[in-house]
Amino acid sequence: MINFLGITNDDHLEKNIDIHSAVLSDYKWFWVDFSEPTEEELKHLSDTFHFHPLAIEDCVHDFQRPKLDYYNNYTFYVTHLVREDNEKLVKEELDFFVGENCIVTFHKVPSLEVTKVWNRIITLDSLVNWDAHYVFYEILDKIVDNYFPLIYKIEDELEKMIENTNNNSMNQLMNELFETRNRLLNLLHTVNPMRDLLYRMLNSHHLNLNRVEERREYFSDIYDHLLKLSEMVMTNREVTADIRDSYLSLNSHQTNNVMKLLTIITSIFAPLTFIAGIYGMNFENIPELRWENGYFFSLGLMMVIGVVMLLWFRKKGWFK
């Protein structure tokens, strides 16, 4: 589907324009949105707007790394959105062609960010302060802002893991922890390239913006948000690493305690087994076999040995 709106030279909004009959030069600036386009609609990228074949190829083929390419009359941008679907993070691509008097957006799945900005434009009374670059800023700002709730949710989950409010077993906690680390890694692979994209924009001599200083402040604000997001993701990954190490240390400590208990039991029963083994042999000339109280003496000796060893282990601190 192709949506087309244009702003005339007297700042009048025209919407629901037919792209087949539109005269692009009649507009002060315009915005064309390609949403889930068909093969026939894709042809307008080359036939109507005459975009570079490599840029069109990047639109058609998923997933390109966030980037920007400069062409004669426009700049091509690839950006990534992140959605949560059934506790999993799903990436989506949103592409922009931004010129002095036009912006073309391209996405293969519906975009909430594009829809919000589009609906805002068609309800405004005045569009004097709007142009193609400001539309690009508004959409990009919403893309970046939508990263924050995902990270805040992960932070809440990490807090629950630390407190273990659900009394989950160690195996359950470790599984949840590794799933969280995987989600953070996916976010990192999106946030960092987007941060690099904004850095290149802000430090580029090719980017031609109206009211440059004012626009740079806007895009610089987005860049600051991406820096914060990157730091938050890295910090949370460090937290997951600390939780993982703590779980492994606790598990190792519990295993050591179990081994210590088994060692104590084995150490106590070793001499008792030795005594029982000797008197369990079938030799006829064992002197003590004829003792009237030999059985009680053996039991008493075993008990004394067991108590002495328990006291000795306690003195050594094995029960602390």
Side-chain angles (χ1 to χ4, degrees):
M1 180 175 62
I2 299 178
N3 297 312
F4 193 140
L5 63 79
I7 310 300
T8 60
N9 291 324
D10 57 354
D11 293 318
H12 176 70
L13 172 65
E14 293 184 3
K15 54 186 178 180
N16 300 324
I17 303 171
D18 185 2
I19 194 171
H20 298 90
S21 59
V23 179
L24 302 182
S25 58
D26 290 346
Y27 299 100
K28 181 180 179 180
W29 66 272
F30 59 87
W31 177 10
V32 181
D33 178 48
F34 287 78
S35 178
E36 304 176 89
T38 63
E39 291 293 331
E40 189 68 26
E41 291 171 341
L42 283 174
K43 295 179 181 179
H44 287 287
L45 293 176
S46 57
D47 297 343
T48 303
F49 300 105
H50 308 292
F51 292 139
H52 196 282
L54 290 177
I56 297 175
E57 182 181 351
D58 286 341
C59 287
V60 175
H61 294 89
D62 300 330
F63 258 102
Q64 302 295 323
R65 177 183 172 87
K67 66 171 184 175
L68 64 88
D69 293 324
Y70 298 107
Y71 296 96
N72 290 334
N73 300 318
Y74 60 90
T75 307
F76 173 66
Y77 301 88
V78 176
T79 64
H80 283 180
L81 305 86
V82 179
R83 307 260 185 249
E84 189 172 31
D85 184 18
N86 296 325
E87 302 298 327
K88 293 183 179 181
L89 298 182
V90 179
K91 289 184 182 179
E92 299 173 4
E93 184 175 315
L94 177 58
D95 302 321
F96 299 85
F97 298 87
V98 184
E100 280 301 309
N101 63 342
C102 71
I103 176 171
V104 176
T105 51
F106 183 96
H107 46 100
K108 293 184 177 180
V109 294
S111 171
L112 295 176
E113 293 78 6
V114 171
T115 302
K116 287 180 180 178
V117 178
W118 187 280
N119 291 336
R120 181 182 175 189
I121 288 179
I122 62 179
T123 56
L124 287 175
D125 295 329
S126 174
L127 294 170
V128 175
N129 296 323
W130 284 71
D131 60 17
H133 291 95
Y134 192 72
V135 171
F136 175 53
Y137 158 74
E138 284 286 338
I139 298 175
L140 197 61
D141 185 54
K142 285 177 171 51
I143 290 175
V144 174
D145 286 345
N146 286 341
Y147 293 154
F148 282 99
L150 299 174
I151 297 181
Y152 291 148
K153 182 178 180 180
I154 291 176
E155 288 181 342
D156 293 339
E157 292 174 357
L158 288 176
E159 185 175 349
K160 291 180 181 179
M161 289 183 196
I162 294 174
E163 297 176 355
N164 195 15
T165 54
N166 297 327
N167 294 321
N168 292 331
S169 65
M170 189 71 68
N171 289 335
Q172 289 177 310
L173 290 172
M174 290 297 287
N175 289 334
E176 292 178 6
L177 184 64
F178 283 113
E179 288 178 2
T180 302
R181 283 181 60 84
N182 185 53
R183 294 167 65 191
L184 286 170
L185 183 61
N186 289 336
L187 273 176
L188 192 66
H189 288 166
T190 301
V191 171
N192 282 355
M194 289 289 288
R195 179 197 62 192
D196 296 341
L197 169 63
L198 265 294
Y199 178 83
R200 186 179 174 190
M201 285 177 56
L202 292 171
N203 293 276
S204 172
H205 299 292
H206 298 280
L207 193 61
N208 187 14
L209 297 176
N210 297 325
R211 292 177 295 180
V212 174
E213 294 302 322
E214 179 181 353
R215 292 294 157 74
R216 286 189 182 278
E217 291 179 0
Y218 287 140
F219 288 106
S220 179
D221 180 65
I222 297 178
Y223 178 68
D224 291 339
H225 289 171
L226 286 167
L227 284 177
K228 181 180 179 180
L229 284 164
S230 180
E231 292 173 356
M232 291 174 67
V233 173
M234 292 301 299
T235 299
N236 282 295
R237 277 185 61 80
E238 292 176 1
V239 170
T240 59
D242 291 340
I243 296 175
R244 178 196 61 195
D245 294 341
S246 298
Y247 285 166
L248 293 176
S249 297
L250 178 61
N251 188 46
S252 177
H253 177 70
Q254 292 175 344
T255 302
N256 288 338
N257 284 336
V258 172
M259 293 303 297
K260 183 189 294 185
L261 178 62
L262 294 176
T263 302
I264 292 173
I265 295 174
T266 302
S267 299
I268 292 175
F269 276 89
L272 308 186
T273 304
F274 174 73
I275 296 173
I278 290 178
Y279 289 100
M281 293 187 292
N282 294 323
F283 296 109
E284 294 184 0
N285 295 323
I286 298 179
E288 294 83 358
L289 289 178
R290 305 298 179 185
W291 288 3
E292 182 178 351
N293 297 318
Y295 171 73
F296 300 102
F297 176 79
S298 299
L299 291 179
L301 179 62
M302 291 180 184
M303 184 177 295
V304 170
I305 292 175
V307 172
V308 170
M309 293 188 70
L310 280 172
L311 295 175
W312 184 67
F313 288 142
R314 182 178 180 182
K315 183 177 180 180
K316 289 291 184 179
W318 282 33
F319 294 104
K320 293 183 181 179

